[in-house]
Amino acid sequence: MTQNCQNSPTVRRLAAIMFADIVGFSRLMERNEALTFSRLRRLREEVNLLKVEEYGGRVIRTTGDGFLAEFGSAVAAVQCGFDIQRTVMELEQGQPLSERIRFRIGINVGDIIVDGDDIAGDGVNIAARLEALAPVDGICVSSAVREQIRDDFGFTDMGEQKLKNIARPIRTYAWRPDAAITMPALTPAPDRPVAKPARLSIVVLPFTNVSGDPAQEYFSDGITDEVTAQLSKIRGSYVIGRDTAFRYKGKEVDIRSLGVELGVRYVLKGSVERFDQGIDTTAQLWDALAGTVLWADTMEVDKTAVRNIRREVVNRLAIALNLQLIEAEARHSEGSENPDATDLVMQARAAYYRANTLDALQQVRVMFEKALSINGDEQAALVGRAVTMVEQVFGWPSDANARLIDEADALMAKAMPLDRHNAYARFVMSRLRQMQCRIEAALAENQIALELDPNLVEAIAWNGNLQFASGRPELGIEPLRRALAQSPRDRMRWVWCLMLGLNYSLMGQYHDAIIWLERSIAINPRHWANLAFAVVAYANVGDRANAMRARAQFDEVYRGEIIEPRFYSQTPAFLELLDARVMPAWRQMELPEPDSPTSFRRLGMSRAASER
């Protein structure tokens, strides 16, 4: 579920929605209930569910004779629909025409309301109404879908339709299986050898200029060039050169065939629309082996808010794509019968970004240890194992802190000489140095990380934390805001919001601190730190009612964890601000003293809070 740093009661997002239903299901069940149900179950399990997953979608729910699914891309939804209809027709070909299971499919792109694992809203309702208009064995789509797929797949304009319980008329398009133009080939030609492409191999196809102004072509080409350059900085990446990629400019390509031709696992496609107020950019990351969309996103950048608008777009894309490629490679690696150290590192890195419990974090550590058992000099595995220890000290502190920090220090001492130009390793070293209260050394390591990779969002945000710890909170605001802007869906955004609240607290700007601390709590209400500092901020503005409310929430989640220098440091400037602007209210509200008798050691607890 997508969240941001705003406390909103309803979560909405844009999605492509597919609704499929069987034609004449009641009639088929009446004729032979057992046989019809058995065939339907086979089609559901062997075709529908698998195809939706293959094209990067998610089945929301199944009904007696159909299903509802969502996709991140209209193109993926339509291609999935084509594939389902084609496969079902082939499997049912041996049945008498009157007894065949035949589907109608409706697809819409619209705003949906997320309710747990379910979805609702007009976007879903329209997809259901479109299904009823679809031809037998065919697909009906809204104009929103038709505009996004662009390719002519033989859709016929049905004009505007008045749909039941939908206030506005919807322009619809229908595809029939006898259309002159059907779906593109989904597999390479059988006589072509398919070589296994390299890990993290990708081609960035020229972004399409959809502004309607040929003079803006240079801008979309510039986006393509800069994204290509940024992806080339990802460690272990293999990126097709610019000149080769631009040979495909303006041409329709089959993703699988292109993957075979260029020997790549991934293809990035996108478009750019530039207008007076800013730019809109869409991007799709394709798995060239499967011909499916792995990730799709649309971003709007307001030129009044960003000085270098092209750099902002490129930075956001680079951050998102780095994480998506890690996830994709982990999925590829999971299928390997004999994973090597790199396979295991990929799996561990992906698992690390999903870990939100101590057990999950420790399982990630085991994965890194397995990689090291294969190759003891695998730098990524050494750094990865070290960061799990630093993360444990940060999020689940205990009496094991000193041992974990010492072990992480030994791992990083072995890892750093292997490649001192590894930006992520420098960032992890910076985190370790702060755990050791060596703030100036931490600042130096983090600065090197940012020089090596200016888009390393973890290091950008960490700079805000280090400025707090060094007693310069006014310098910590900009990097944290920048991190939230460049990676608005990051798993660590609750920590970044917390750190903004801490910086504002040290600055004495408690009303601003409250805003960011409440945003942190809205994302992660199960951590004691954002609640404790919210108590302090409310107390400092004289809002005792909210201070007591936050204190009650704190009491619910605090399990006696050690409160020590992971938020603090021994820097005199920091300690002076802390004693003047935080600790008086902290003690007034009777919060546990840092490493006091009320902490972990006195309570003798065997574990910290179970989930963060």
Side-chain angles (χ1 to χ4, degrees), residues 485-499:
Q486 290 193 188
S487 190
R489 301 173 186 174
D490 204 284
R491 73 183 184 100
M492 295 300 292
R493 62 194 182 282
W494 77 269
V495 176
W496 303 343
C497 291
L498 165 62
M499 291 310 307

Side-chain angles (χ1 to χ4, degrees), residues 340-355:
D340 60 17
T342 304
D343 287 327
L344 292 169
V345 166
M346 290 289 184
Q347 293 176 38
R349 288 179 66 190
Y352 170 72
Y353 286 115
R354 295 191 297 265

Side-chain angles (χ1 to χ4, degrees), residues 211 216 219 272-281 299-310 313:
S211 304
Q216 296 299 321
F219 194 83
V272 179
E273 181 177 9
R274 191 177 188 188
F275 47 93
D276 290 343
Q277 289 75 35
I279 67 170
D280 287 347
T281 305
M299 65 179 68
E300 300 177 2
V301 180
D302 187 341
K303 74 176 184 180
T304 61
V306 181
R307 181 177 298 176
N308 190 330
I309 195 167
R310 193 165 79 183
V313 170

Side-chain angles (χ1 to χ4, degrees), residues 285-344:
L285 180 65
W286 288 73
D287 183 331
L289 298 180
T292 59
V293 176
L294 296 170
W295 169 84
D297 200 6
T298 299
M299 65 179 68
E300 300 177 2
V301 180
D302 187 341
K303 74 176 184 180
T304 61
V306 181
R307 181 177 298 176
N308 190 330
I309 195 167
R310 193 165 79 183
R311 184 183 66 186
E312 184 72 11
V313 170
V314 171
N315 287 354
R316 291 189 193 181
L317 277 172
I319 290 167
L321 286 168
N322 196 344
L323 293 175
Q324 292 300 324
L325 287 169
I326 289 171
E327 284 283 351
E329 274 304 298
R331 287 193 291 272
H332 279 300
S333 298
E334 285 169 2
S336 175
E337 294 183 2
N338 297 296
D340 60 17
T342 304
D343 287 327
L344 292 169

Side-chain angles (χ1 to χ4, degrees), residues 58 181 280 354 370 452 538:
R58 178 173 71 101
I181 302 175
D280 287 347
R354 295 191 297 265
K370 287 182 179 177
L452 291 168
Y538 279 121

Side-chain angles (χ1 to χ4, degrees), residues 417-431:
L418 298 172
D419 182 0
R420 296 189 178 278
H421 299 285
N422 183 332
Y424 185 74
R426 291 285 188 173
F427 159 70
V428 173
M429 181 64 85
S430 176
R431 290 193 66 181

Side-chain angles (χ1 to χ4, degrees), residues 4-283:
N4 53 31
C5 291
Q6 297 175 350
N7 189 7
S8 173
T10 303
V11 179
R12 294 179 177 270
R13 66 165 176 261
L14 196 66
I17 307 103
M18 172 189 289
F19 194 90
D21 206 6
I22 292 177
V23 180
F25 180 69
S26 298
R27 174 180 53 81
L28 292 171
M29 290 290 283
E30 184 178 347
R31 286 189 176 185
N32 192 330
E33 183 176 271
L35 180 60
T36 299
F37 184 79
S38 175
R39 288 163 53 208
L40 172 60
R41 184 171 61 183
R42 180 173 67 95
L43 289 174
R44 177 184 293 159
E45 294 175 355
E46 298 179 10
V47 179
N48 299 341
L49 300 181
L50 291 179
K51 293 295 183 186
V52 169
E53 182 178 352
E54 180 181 339
Y55 285 86
R58 178 173 71 101
V59 173
I60 304 299
R61 60 178 178 265
T62 59
T63 60
D65 58 344
F67 64 89
L68 172 69
E70 69 158 335
F71 298 77
S73 155
V75 175
V78 170
Q79 288 197 327
C80 180
F82 283 143
D83 208 354
I84 286 174
Q85 293 290 42
R86 182 191 65 183
T87 306
V88 170
M89 285 188 287
E90 289 176 354
L91 291 173
E92 289 290 296
Q93 200 166 22
Q95 300 291 335
L97 184 61
S98 61
E99 296 180 12
R100 291 178 188 173
I101 292 179
R102 308 173 76 182
F103 280 87
R104 289 190 178 99
I105 293 177
I107 301 174
N108 179 45
V109 169
D111 192 51
I112 62 172
I113 300 170
V114 180
D115 181 13
D117 290 331
D118 203 359
I119 60 175
D122 269 358
V124 177
N125 296 336
I126 291 172
R129 303 305 179 202
L130 291 173
E131 178 275 324
L133 295 177
V136 177
D137 301 325
I139 301 171
C140 185
V141 303
S142 63
S143 58
V145 174
R146 182 67 186 85
E147 288 168 4
Q148 289 198 33
I149 61 176
R150 297 199 184 103
D151 299 304
D152 183 8
F153 292 148
F155 279 95
T156 302
D157 189 345
M158 299 171 65
E160 291 190 340
Q161 301 286 328
K162 182 69 174 71
L163 305 181
K164 183 179 179 181
N165 296 331
I166 304 298
R168 65 192 187 284
I170 303 295
R171 193 172 192 88
T172 60
Y173 296 81
W175 174 87
R176 293 172 173 79
D178 57 353
I181 302 175
T182 57
M183 63 185 299
L186 294 178
T187 56
D191 57 337
R192 297 187 65 176
V194 181
K196 186 177 180 180
R199 295 185 178 96
L200 295 178
S201 52
I202 186 169
V203 59
V204 181
L205 293 178
F207 276 57
T208 304
N209 169 31
V210 294
S211 304
D213 179 6
Q216 296 299 321
E217 203 74 20
Y218 80 94
F219 194 83
S220 57
D221 288 352
I223 294 285
T224 308
D225 290 341
E226 291 182 33
V227 170
T228 301
Q230 289 297 334
L231 290 179
S232 298
K233 294 179 181 179
I234 296 176
R235 297 185 63 78
S237 65
Y238 170 76
V239 183
I240 297 297
R242 189 256 192 206
D243 287 350
T244 297
F246 268 77
R247 292 180 183 178
Y248 299 92
K249 183 172 181 177
K251 298 179 181 178
E252 293 299 329
V253 296
D254 174 70
I255 298 297
R256 282 187 168 183
S257 298
L258 182 67
V260 172
E261 185 175 339
L262 297 179
V264 294
R265 284 193 184 187
Y266 306 103
V267 176
L268 181 68
K269 297 177 65 177
S271 65
V272 179
E273 181 177 9
R274 191 177 188 188
F275 47 93
D276 290 343
Q277 289 75 35
I279 67 170
D280 287 347
T281 305
T282 65

